[in-house]
Amino acid sequence: PGHRRASGELGAAAAPRYEVVVIGGGHAGTEAAAAAARGGARTLLLTHRIGTIGEMSCNPSFGGIGKGHLLREVDALDGLCGRVCDRSGVHYKVLNRCKGPAVWGLRAQIDRGLYKENMQKEILSTPLLTVREASVEDLLLTEPEPGRPGKCQVTGVVLGDGSTVCAGSVILTTGTFLRGMIHIGLETHPAGRLGDQPAIGLALTLEKLGFAMGRLKTGTPPRLAKDTIDFSGLEERAADIPPVPFSFLSEAVWIKPEDQLSCYLTRTSLKAQEIIRDNLHLNNHVRETTRGPRYCPSLESKVLRFPDREHQVWLEPEGLESNVIYPQGMSMTLPPELQEQVIKTVPGLEKAKMLQPGYGVQYDFLDPRQLTASLESRLVQHLFLAGQINGTTGYEEAAAQGVIAGINACLRVQGKPPFTVSRTEGYVGVLIDDLTTLGTSEPYRMFTSRVEFRMSLRPDNADARLTLRGFEEAGCVSQQRYEQAVKMRAALDEGIATLKSLQFSISKWSQLLPGVPISSSRRSPASAFDILQYRDVNLEILAKAVPEPLGKLAQWRELAERLKIEAAYEWCVVSQQQEMAEVRHDEALELPDDLDYFAIDASLSAEVREKLDAHRPQTIGAVSRIPGITPAAIVNLLRFVKTNHRKTEKLKAVPQTGECFPGKMYSGKATSQRQISAEFSEEEKKFVKTSS
Amino acid sequence: MALSGIVRAARGRWARPLSCAVPPVGTGDRGHRGHTGVRVYTGHTGDRGHTGVPGIPGDGGHTGVRGHTGHTGDRGHTGATGDRGGPGHTGHTGAPGVAGVAGHTDVPGVPSAPGAPGVPGVPSAPGVPGVAGDTIFALSSAPGRCGVAVIRASGPGSQGALRSLAGPPGLPPPRLLALRSIRDPRTAETLDRGLVVWFPGPHSFTGEDCAELHVHGGPAVISGVLGALGRLPGLRPAEPGEFSLRAFRRGKLDLTAAEGLRDLIGAETEAQRRQALRQLRGELGALYGTWSRALTQALAHIEALIDFSEDDGLGEAVLPRALGAVRALEREIRAHLRDGRRGERLRAGVRAVIAGPPNAGKSSLLNLLCRRPAAIVSPVAGTTRDVLEVPLDIGGFPLLLSDTAGLRDPRDPLEREGVTRARDRLCQADLVLAVLDVTSVSPTPGSLGAALAALQPPPDTPCVLVLNKADLLGGQGVSPSATCAQGHPVTLLSCKTGQGLEALLELLGQQLAQLCGNPLLGSPSLTQTRHSRHLEACATALSRFGDIIGDTGDISGDLAVAAEQLRVARRELGRITGSVGADDILDVIFRDFCVGK
């Protein structure tokens, strides 16, 4: 489709108008649409099929280590998925229980059907949010706003039927649908997800606009019929009792603790390895060079990289009533009949019936370095991108980006400053900063090891970190949640003050708590807060020893647990504070968006200029995280920017005309394509070329 | 140098630039209205021209490029050496000294982390370049012997540091030079007499509170002052480029500098980086590299335990193996640090203390060794009451020789103080020259040993027994035992006639060579305070990891907290070897384990 501008000739005057239009109804799209609507924007969610809103395309679970952190942060910003999970889970489990609350991984097996149903209920009942079934073929574009980067601005979308919808901001959350291609064995066919059409027109549009694109792959395992599996010899893993809810708003989850389902563990044998090895020639997906995730590897790649060993397979229920089992760890792209053979080699699955084969998906993603920290494109103003289109994997990663994109699309229309989360504030900040600064060459997944301030950014305190800001700056948090967070914060502050003011000598503490080995080398007197740091001490024990004033703190269970965690991490958090201030300081030193690194008159090497141009860092903090940038280059750059700031400002104020006409419009393409290719291996360069 | 009272620190008016290749930067106080409205920093701390020209306002060294201009005997402060470009966990240290801040010579350049300056994942150490918070110090004039050395401190602790070292009578008025005795607050020992300046923030080079000590440029004085600063709570040696970085952060380095300056500084920083790289390419670099890899692997394995706890691809042995690696690494670093002290002494000078009973001729020995009457000598016992320190060069080795009061139990309170200081100094000695009156001891190993023991030298410290007054033996060939009972060498000397001096010098040369380590041979030894500081912090963090994990190898504590210690350790090491990012950690994880499902 050719480019159409909202110049009136298409009858845009008659077109419906929304403040925010969201394309895609997956985990990023639903969060984005709901967040924009919560923020007060009249929002339209466009999806191929309303029935697929809230679809969990891959694993039937939410959360995990690092991902649970993201979920909590989404919830702290009043996002949907935490609440929906609390109403749809069938098996709740906190991972890493014994490794410290900073790295607890809230996780749950989710009933797919319930999740979809509950999510659709949420979405369809969100005020200001309209949902419409339509495919999007093109974007409406116009001249850019002066003074901001971007060669044009989006003003709406063109639907499959040729009609248009006008929009203040557009959010793209197309997941794996951009030229999605499904691989099973040697067969390939275009699809975003098994049974769903890919988005091809949109991919073409984005490519023509000059977006640097890459290709990634992912996969999903076959599905098995539960009643054909013999669980008797398998290791059972029961859920937590009581289950821990995801949402700060949930007192408890919907399911009775004892009604939860179990997961079962089994392992592949060497027989499976043999089948896989013998049939590699029938396996296009594995042979292809497009980057797949190293941490969610297919069984084929596990066998190839770590041969001659067993690989674990978790058998996970897909729902309370469902007869489907998801064999986590058996992602395969072999031809279906061979997949069946592999399955039958696994203990417990000897007679298992395969309901649906595993498959691989290859899809386009847009180099996320073309985005700002608010997830707005730097190429096309008012266009936001979230989710897998930015090179991530995982529901939680998608949802977290969705919330941020939704908030910012709304703020952008309202003319308010963007809402960004710093690396010092949340996992979502780390996620977006990593993506927008460094880009990615494989599907990006959240890990706690990516997070510098892991001791401070914990699941327990996500509300303290984000809810207040979300309410005050983004307007995306309900009054009720805000009040609850404020109340909790006040209670924590007061509780800590009470604990700190309660001081006894070490010998007195030893007397009060005979069961606790209190080190006599401790500084005396010690406060109750100090004593609470001991592993064997909790508020209940303290309150028994000193009922007044601690009794009332212990009664509020959630508060008592959070106080315990605060005490345990206090010293770590304090020692990180200065450094956090430093990172925040560097993040606040913003670079002009439109710097031409090749042209600027600063003492920078050609290599550094190329890196800066490829990464387009937005702040000095981001510059410092680009590999290969020397300290000298940073200072030279800073100096240039500071001395030229005024000049730059003046230049920007000059109205720019003709910026978005085709000749100019696509001028950036060659450069950006070259940049991303340079990041890829030889084969992928080819891939990028052939795909474009 | 004629330094007297308070002299007006020249400021506000600026001399013409020297014929440096560097154009002036800023225009003094008026430069404060730099065109972006941010202050130009040059106004205050460049006031170096105090030497010999007291009280000439508006003069002296204000070339705007911080060149030392008036220093007598100052050889070649280049004016634009720039802070050493260094790596930085956040990649932003190593800000080159924009206007030619003289290089911080106690923090010789460490190479920029090649390829990975400050990647996330491994956050910087607490207490390294801070926005506020801690206080940094460094020698900011050029390295080597020079007439005047400038030691600068920046940060909230500068004021306290100035009070501790150069008080009383309290802080001098802001931005005015004051002549003060500079003392080590711990020992009350006077390190030097010099000029001090107090620059309350924001009117200072960095924008923070700053203090400068302008002291005589001898290595002993400099290391004494740096050492004293380093022992103050909250003070630490500056990272490369940290002064400039702080200045930058406070908007002090907003330079409308000409082209040449930028290029010059860029080149300078690069040259420093290359030089530092070469330095680390040697044996020392290889050693650090080995540690870096070992630590990265241990950290990655612990991170894997956290991020992939559900996977069975990790195996049981991961934690005990990591613990073993961490413990081994800690031992190695600590052993290296012990070894490394030899290298450090090479820079600072071996501290030798002359000790002995009163009137044995200790001050005479000092005068003999330094070939001048540095100390007052008299036949009266107890003449020397304070510690007198003289830097010497013996056989090419730097030596800080201290003469002390005779060790006895004096009645005179003044002398008693002298004895206290003598004992204090003796405890810090690297080498003891025990002076005995040859006529007062029998020359057998046993009685020599007893006489030495009576002086209570610090344990495990090398001693040389000097039997003075050999001239009094009158031609009688008393040949004392070559060593005392403790095995320390004994030599016969007459301070009066110089008889035995050569033998003593040879003996001293041997001792010094041993203490300093031969710089041309042997294993790489530490020569940089900064390195050892980071290594020390690294080892401390490693040991905390061990404490948390416990001996059992299972997790007796919070694994996240334990991992944090390894991250701190990794960061400290990274400040020498270049940092390691989250992706490097993930690479190790996916290389070593079959994780993910």
Side-chain angles (χ1 to χ4, degrees), chain A residues 150-291:
Chain A
K151 54 175 70 166
C152 54
Q153 93 174 269
V154 66
T155 56
V157 295
V158 181
L159 305 182
D161 61 5
S163 67
T164 59
V165 176
C166 294
S169 297
V170 172
I171 308 176
L172 269 183
T173 69
T174 51
T176 61
F177 281 60
L178 277 188
R179 273 191 293 236
M181 188 71 86
I182 281 183
H183 291 242
I184 307 177
L186 293 176
E187 280 176 38
T188 59
H189 58 274
R193 172 172 56 204
L194 211 55
D196 286 310
Q197 286 305 302
I200 291 168
L202 210 49
L204 276 172
T205 299
L206 294 171
E207 196 174 73
K208 280 189 190 157
L209 276 169
F211 280 95
M213 296 166 96
R215 199 130 170 104
L216 292 172
K217 67 179 180 182
T218 187
T220 192
R223 307 300 145 88
L224 310 174
K226 189 178 185 174
D227 53 13
T228 60
I229 297 174
D230 177 12
F231 292 100
S232 60
L234 306 182
E235 190 180 310
E236 177 179 0
R237 183 161 67 172
D240 284 345
I241 293 182
V244 177
F246 287 102
S247 175
F248 286 99
L249 295 182
S250 307
E251 296 253 322
V253 300
W254 74 290
I255 196 170
K256 280 196 211 138
E258 61 276 18
D259 288 352
Q260 295 182 89
L261 305 178
S262 288
C263 294
Y264 293 85
L265 182 62
T266 181
R267 289 186 166 78
T268 62
S269 64
L270 293 183
K271 181 76 184 126
Q273 174 174 318
E274 203 177 299
I275 300 171
I276 289 168
R277 281 203 173 159
D278 291 348
N279 294 287
L280 275 182
H281 59 287
L282 298 176
N283 207 332
N284 253 345
H285 192 66
V286 170
R287 290 187 304 167
E288 294 268 6
T289 47
T290 306
R291 299 272 170 105

Side-chain angles (χ1 to χ4, degrees), chain B residues 272-485:
Chain B
Q272 288 167 350
R273 192 182 63 80
R274 280 197 303 271
Q275 184 190 16
L277 255 181
R278 279 197 295 274
Q279 193 180 329
L280 272 192
R281 275 205 182 115
E283 239 178 297
L284 199 55
L287 183 63
Y288 292 164
T290 314
W291 292 346
S292 177
R293 283 188 293 279
L295 183 50
T296 303
Q297 178 156 22
L299 173 59
H301 287 195
I302 297 299
E303 295 283 354
L305 281 179
I306 290 173
D307 272 333
F308 298 94
S309 70
E310 267 192 303
D311 284 274
D312 63 353
L314 295 174
E316 301 277 303
V318 172
L319 190 57
R321 228 178 21 233
L323 180 65
V326 166
R327 289 234 159 102
L329 187 59
E330 187 201 339
R331 276 194 302 274
E332 221 175 294
I333 291 176
R334 290 209 190 278
H336 179 77
L337 280 170
R338 278 194 298 274
D339 167 58
R341 274 187 51 101
R342 294 197 294 176
E344 268 171 39
R345 276 189 201 132
L346 189 61
R347 291 178 65 83
V350 169
R351 289 176 175 262
V353 174
I354 306 176
N359 231 11
K362 298 178 295 299
S363 299
S364 299
L365 176 59
L366 178 89
N367 289 344
L368 181 68
L369 287 173
C370 68
R371 299 168 189 236
R372 65 185 168 95
I376 301 166
V377 289
S378 83
V380 180
T383 301
T384 304
R385 302 203 159 169
D386 202 345
V387 175
L388 183 70
E389 191 174 76
V390 181
L392 290 174
D393 184 330
I394 290 180
F397 294 108
L399 179 73
L400 278 168
L401 188 61
S402 303
D403 182 20
T404 61
L407 297 168
R408 63 172 176 180
D409 283 331
R411 286 161 298 276
D412 178 359
L414 207 60
E415 196 191 338
R416 198 179 304 141
E417 173 61 16
V419 172
T420 309
R421 290 184 184 188
R423 293 225 178 273
D424 199 10
R425 180 53 65 97
L426 193 57
C427 290
Q428 301 166 37
D430 298 318
L431 172 66
V432 176
L433 291 177
V435 181
L436 301 171
D437 185 336
V438 71
T439 59
S440 66
V441 287
S442 122
T444 63
S447 47
L448 287 172
L452 178 64
L455 299 175
Q456 301 170 355
D460 302 326
T461 304
C463 298
V464 172
L465 260 78
V466 181
L467 302 181
N468 189 22
K469 307 190 186 177
D471 50 302
L472 296 183
L473 296 172
Q476 299 170 24
V478 176
S479 52
S481 150
T483 53
C484 69

Side-chain angles (χ1 to χ4, degrees), chain A residues 112 136 173 349 472 561 587:
Chain A
R112 276 182 201 285
V136 174
T173 69
L349 307 183
E472 287 154 10
E561 283 169 7
E587 283 178 342

Side-chain angles (χ1 to χ4, degrees), chain B residues 22 48 90 104 115 121 136 169 176 186 189 252 265 293 320 392-393 399 413 433 443 475 493 507 524 568 584:
Chain B
V22 186
R48 297 276 170 66
T90 50
H104 300 155
I136 54 172
L176 291 183
R186 193 177 58 164
E189 166 206 354
K252 289 283 178 178
I265 288 157
R293 283 188 293 279
L392 290 174
D393 184 330
L399 179 73
L433 291 177
L493 177 75
L507 205 52
V568 170
D584 302 308

Side-chain angles (χ1 to χ4, degrees), chain A residues 305 454 569 579 582 586 624 629, chain B residues 90 92 117 129 303 558 590:
Chain A
R305 289 189 55 226
R454 191 162 61 188
Y569 285 110
E579 199 194 330
E582 193 187 307
D586 284 349
S624 68
I629 300 288
Chain B
T90 50
H92 47 36
E303 295 283 354
D558 184 321
F590 296 122

